[in-house]
Amino acid sequence: MIDLGRIRLFCTGLGAADATALLLVHGWGGDGREWSPHAEALADRFRVVVPDLRGHGRSEVPAESNTPAEMASDLAALIDELGTGPVVAVGHSMGGQVVNLLAVHHPHTVRSVIALDPAHGAHGEETERIPARLADYRARGSRAAADFVAAAFAPDAPAGLRTAHVRTMLGTPDHVVAQAYAGMYTDPGAVGVRPHSERYLSHRTRPALTVWTSAEAAAWERGTLHVPGSRVDHWPGTGHYLHEEHPRRTVRLVEDWADSVTNAAV
C-alpha cells in the first residue's frame, strides 16, 4: 500500500527499476490481478507497475469521487512517487479512459498510451441506454454490474474468466460501481459519450494505440488521430476483455508498441 496523501493505493511491481516503465490499469469493477500473466511476461524487459484503482481491489475506498478523472490524478501522483519517469500507460475499458485522461491532464507522466476497448466513444443506442443503466447501478450496485460483465465475453473465452470477473465485480462496493459509471458517462466533464470523447482526444499530445473489438468504433477513432505515430487496431471475434482472452497477443502488442515508441524517441 502506497500513501500518496490524496489516496492510499495498493500497487505491485516487477522488473528492473531502470527499465522503461509500463503502467497496467484495470477496468471498472476489476483489479490488478487481471494483469498478472502479462506482468510476468513483460517483466523481463520492462519495469511493470500494476495498481488497484481507488475504490477497487485492495486500494482505499473513498465515500465520494470514485471517478476516472480522480483515478487519473491518483496515478499521476503514483508515478511521481515511484520515480519511474514517463510510462507507457496501458488501460482496459474504464482503465483505457483513465490512461487517456492521465495523458491529457498529466502529460509529464506519460510516454505513450495503449487503450484496449476503452470506455469512450459511446453513441447511438449505447448512449440511450446510459440513464437506465446508471439508475440500475445506483439501485442495485455490483449485482447489476455483474450482469453486464457476465455478458461481455466471447463464447470461446478461457474457462473461468467470466466467473472470476463476476466475482471481482460483486466484491466492488456498490457506491463505487455507480460513481465510476457516472464519472465515465454522465458527470460534468465526463468524456465517455462520443462528442465529449472527441474533444478530450483532441487534447492528447502523446502517441496512442487503441484496440477496438468493434469495427465501427475503430473507424471512428481513426478519424480522431492527430499525433504522429498513433494508430487504431481492430480485433474482431473477441469479447470485451480482449487482453485476457488473448494474453500472448496482448503481450506482443505491448512489447512491439513500447519498442517502437522508444526507438522513435532516440
Side-chain angles (χ1 to χ4, degrees):
M1 189 76 76
I2 299 178
D3 190 343
L4 300 172
R6 57 181 286 118
I7 191 78
R8 291 183 301 129
L9 292 186
F10 182 79
C11 178
T12 57
L14 294 170
D18 59 351
T20 298
L22 303 177
L23 180 72
L24 306 182
V25 183
H26 66 83
W28 182 56
D31 64 34
R33 287 176 293 182
E34 67 192 55
W35 289 107
S36 297
H38 314 79
E40 288 187 0
L42 292 163
D44 288 341
R45 298 181 51 201
F46 302 98
R47 179 179 182 180
V48 184
V49 178
V50 187
D52 288 354
L53 296 170
R54 65 164 57 208
H56 292 71
R58 291 163 177 77
S59 287
E60 185 178 351
V61 182
E64 302 290 342
S65 301
N66 293 287
T67 65
E70 291 297 326
M71 294 168 186
S73 293
D74 296 341
L75 295 183
L78 176 66
I79 292 165
D80 288 341
E81 175 69 20
L82 295 177
T84 64
V87 302
V88 177
V90 185
H92 167 253
S93 192
M94 182 184 75
Q97 188 179 125
V98 170
V99 297
N100 274 306
L101 288 166
L102 180 67
V104 169
H105 296 297
H106 310 276
H108 74 281
T109 67
V110 175
R111 184 188 301 265
S112 67
V113 169
I114 302 175
L116 305 174
D117 231 21
H120 65 225
H123 77 117
E125 291 183 4
E126 183 181 4
T127 302
E128 293 169 3
R129 290 194 293 265
I130 288 171
R133 283 179 173 172
L134 179 56
D136 199 14
Y137 299 146
R138 285 174 170 163
R140 299 196 299 128
S142 62
R143 291 170 295 159
D147 294 339
F148 175 84
V149 167
F153 296 89
D156 59 349
L161 191 57
R162 177 182 287 102
T163 298
H165 271 281
V166 167
R167 189 176 188 276
T168 303
M169 178 61 85
L170 288 171
T172 305
D174 291 341
H175 74 283
V176 172
V177 168
Q179 288 176 19
Y181 188 82
M184 284 187 275
Y185 296 110
T186 65
D187 284 351
V191 300
V193 176
R194 191 161 290 190
H196 304 301
S197 304
E198 291 171 350
R199 283 195 288 273
Y200 105 101
L201 291 174
S202 73
H203 294 293
R204 191 171 55 190
T205 60
R206 297 295 185 259
L209 166 61
T210 305
V211 182
W212 284 103
T213 60
S214 161
E216 187 281 331
W220 160 73
E221 187 157 342
R222 287 191 186 104
T224 74
L225 299 180
H226 61 282
V227 178
S230 296
R231 80 170 199 260
V232 175
D233 290 357
H234 173 222
W235 288 8
T238 187
H240 179 55
Y241 291 84
L242 66 170
H243 61 307
E244 292 180 277
E245 293 189 20
H246 302 283
R248 292 181 181 176
R249 185 179 183 184
T250 302
V251 167
R252 290 195 299 270
L253 181 88
V254 172
E255 290 175 335
D256 291 347
W257 175 260
D259 286 344
S260 69
V261 170
T262 300
N263 292 337
V266 174

